[in-house]
Amino acid sequence: MISPVSEAGPDAGDDLPGTLPEALRAELIAFRRDLHMHPELGNQEFRTTAAIKARLEQAGLAPRVLGSGTGLVCDIGEWDGGTPMLALRADIDALPIPDAKVGVPYRSTVPDRAHACGHDVHTTVVLGAGLVLAELHRKGQLPRAVRLLFQPAEEVLPGGAADAIKCGVLDGVGRIIAVHCDPRVDAGRIGLRTGPITSACDRLEIALDGPGGHTARPHLTTDLVTAVAKVATEVPAVISRRVDARSGLSVTWGRIESGHACNVIPMHAELAGTVRCLDLETWRDAPDLIHAAVAGIADLHGAKSQINYIRGVPPVVNDGVVVDLLTSAMAARRGPYSVEDTEQSLGGEDFSWYLEHVPGAMARLGVRTPGDTVKRDLHRGDFDADESAITVGVELFTAAALLDTRS
């Protein structure tokens, strides 16, 4: 059992190289703030890619932009064809929501765009780790080559990871690690678990159609507004009774649209939402179950239904050996009580696609200022991170690279 209490001593990890110099720490905070002010959506991260590339090249490295034109990979050292490399992955895209923070100088300058999921922090952590590891490599202190992976379009289902894999980013890679910001965990700590740490996530789009008519005579037509309301409320209820409750299958709507006038029954209605699932086998059965439920309810109300079920991502399933590596790395830096247990969430993450090919693990990086009692969450316009988490993430990754002593 991982201790839920953090009492890291100030001397934790002093005998392990790869800590963050003060000048670089300040530079990374400035770099993160610049990204935060200039968020870019998935597959549009040209400025972000250019900024990362320029800084890596300044350090004497040779980053390679992915074939899509955004995202890049960069190796620290040269793989000798023997023991595969450890890869450090970051996602670089932002969200299509407005930045609602006040009183900070690094608020987004792009309307309706924000780094509200912490990808700017993830990117800065991997960049900082790369710069520190490059210096260790020059000193002959890096035991083997390490790959940096800056992936675009994590927020675009089914995720940019699948495209990155097609570009060969896992060639020569034997393990892969990542962090994800967690506003429920204090800065200075990480959350870990072996096995599933996220859920599967798909997108669901439904269109309902009918002949339309007058609201005075709903019996002569298809009452489409009632039909769409029934689909919205009854599909989740029906699904919950057709699968094991422990599978965590959840249908949640984010958009419903129908009609324009109060006295006209519309001819068309739309719903869109997400399907999330904790269990891999139930996730595989979900499309058929949801198609049957939607069609049955729509038919009952005389509406024609069209269903667009968009496969997203499977759960992120952490490998136990790699979890142990991250646990040891964090303990070396911050002491044994800086790692806490975490639960499986219903959030989706395309890091899971890498784990279909190589073992790896994702840690939850604490970004809550200790003592802060304000509840914050991801994908909200007021999301922000305690920037001391950048140092924690960098030193976690550099320690993992140094402790990865596979033969």
Side-chain angles (χ1 to χ4, degrees):
M1 178 68 70
I2 298 170
S3 172
V5 181
S6 177
E7 297 291 347
D11 298 325
D14 277 357
D15 57 344
L16 191 69
T19 54
L20 193 60
E22 177 59 28
L24 182 55
R25 186 196 69 81
E27 179 191 348
L28 292 176
I29 289 175
F31 189 90
R32 178 257 170 172
R33 292 184 176 190
D34 179 73
L35 294 185
H36 202 86
M37 293 172 66
H38 302 92
E40 297 174 300
L41 299 184
N43 296 315
Q44 301 173 23
E45 311 97 329
F46 296 103
R47 183 187 185 278
T48 303
T49 298
I52 300 166
K53 182 173 182 288
R55 184 61 183 91
L56 292 172
E57 289 176 339
Q58 181 184 340
L61 300 170
R64 308 183 301 279
V65 176
L66 301 182
S68 60
T70 63
L72 62 162
V73 294
C74 181
D75 292 347
I76 312 296
E78 184 174 349
W79 182 48
D80 60 7
T83 303
M85 291 179 285
L86 176 70
L88 316 180
R89 176 267 197 171
D91 37 11
I92 66 175
D93 57 325
L95 286 162
I97 63 176
D99 191 336
K101 291 189 296 298
V102 294
V104 296
Y106 49 86
R107 184 179 178 184
S108 172
T109 61
V110 184
D112 300 320
R113 302 286 185 269
H115 270 296
C117 199
H119 294 190
D120 53 333
V121 174
H122 308 164
T123 299
T124 304
V125 163
V126 173
L127 173 65
L131 297 175
V132 173
L133 291 172
E135 182 61 25
L136 292 178
H137 175 65
R138 282 190 285 271
K139 295 177 179 178
Q141 295 179 301
L142 187 64
R144 59 173 53 90
V146 174
R147 173 163 294 166
L148 313 179
L149 168 55
F150 300 90
Q151 176 213 304
E154 190 276 330
E155 298 287 356
V156 182
L157 288 178
D163 293 331
I165 292 168
K166 292 177 184 176
C167 291
V169 300
L170 292 181
D171 295 348
V173 169
R175 292 176 177 176
I176 188 167
I177 57 177
V179 293
H180 198 295
C181 290
D182 191 335
R184 302 165 303 169
V185 177
D186 282 352
R189 303 165 85 175
I190 63 169
L192 277 171
R193 67 177 279 123
T194 298
I197 192 171
T198 70
S199 77
C201 180
D202 300 331
R203 190 165 76 239
L204 180 61
E205 299 172 345
I206 300 170
L208 300 181
D209 292 286
H214 200 296
T215 55
R217 293 176 287 278
H219 58 291
L220 298 181
T221 186
T222 295
D223 187 350
L224 206 63
V225 172
T226 296
V228 74
K230 290 294 186 179
V231 169
T233 56
E234 293 184 12
V235 166
V238 167
I239 291 300
S240 71
R241 292 298 180 267
R242 293 187 179 175
V243 298
D244 189 328
R246 292 170 295 182
S247 71
L249 184 61
S250 171
V251 179
T252 305
W253 308 108
R255 181 175 68 87
I256 300 178
E257 294 184 12
S258 185
H260 300 283
C262 66
N263 60 346
V264 177
I265 295 175
M267 300 172 64
H268 184 74
E270 295 180 358
L271 303 89
T274 59
V275 180
R276 299 177 188 273
C277 187
L278 301 174
D279 177 72
L280 190 58
E281 292 303 317
T282 303
W283 176 65
R284 289 173 176 151
D285 295 335
D288 290 340
L289 291 170
I290 290 172
H291 271 81
V294 171
I297 295 167
D299 288 346
L300 182 64
H301 292 273
K304 296 181 180 179
S305 61
Q306 290 184 320
I307 304 168
N308 184 23
Y309 194 106
I310 303 163
R311 269 302 195 194
V313 294
V316 171
V317 182
N318 280 350
D319 177 81
V321 174
V322 184
V323 167
D324 289 344
L325 172 64
L326 288 172
T327 301
S328 297
M330 191 64 178
R333 295 299 192 198
R334 301 271 161 168
Y337 300 106
S338 60
V339 182
E340 62 183 60
D341 290 315
T342 191
E343 75 282 357
Q344 182 182 7
S345 79
L346 279 170
E349 234 289 353
D350 75 352
F351 184 70
S352 56
W353 291 125
Y354 300 114
L355 305 187
E356 297 280 303
H357 300 271
V358 297
M362 171 173 282
R364 295 204 167 112
L365 179 67
V367 296
R368 179 179 61 195
T369 300
D372 186 359
T373 59
V374 177
K375 292 185 177 180
R376 308 180 195 277
D377 201 3
L378 303 170
H379 288 217
R380 280 180 31 169
D382 63 350
F383 172 80
D384 204 355
D386 185 318
E387 291 173 321
S388 67
I390 295 171
T391 299
V392 176
V394 169
E395 296 187 354
L396 169 68
F397 278 170
T398 57
L402 293 168
L403 295 175
D404 183 20
T405 55
R406 292 165 293 157
S407 60

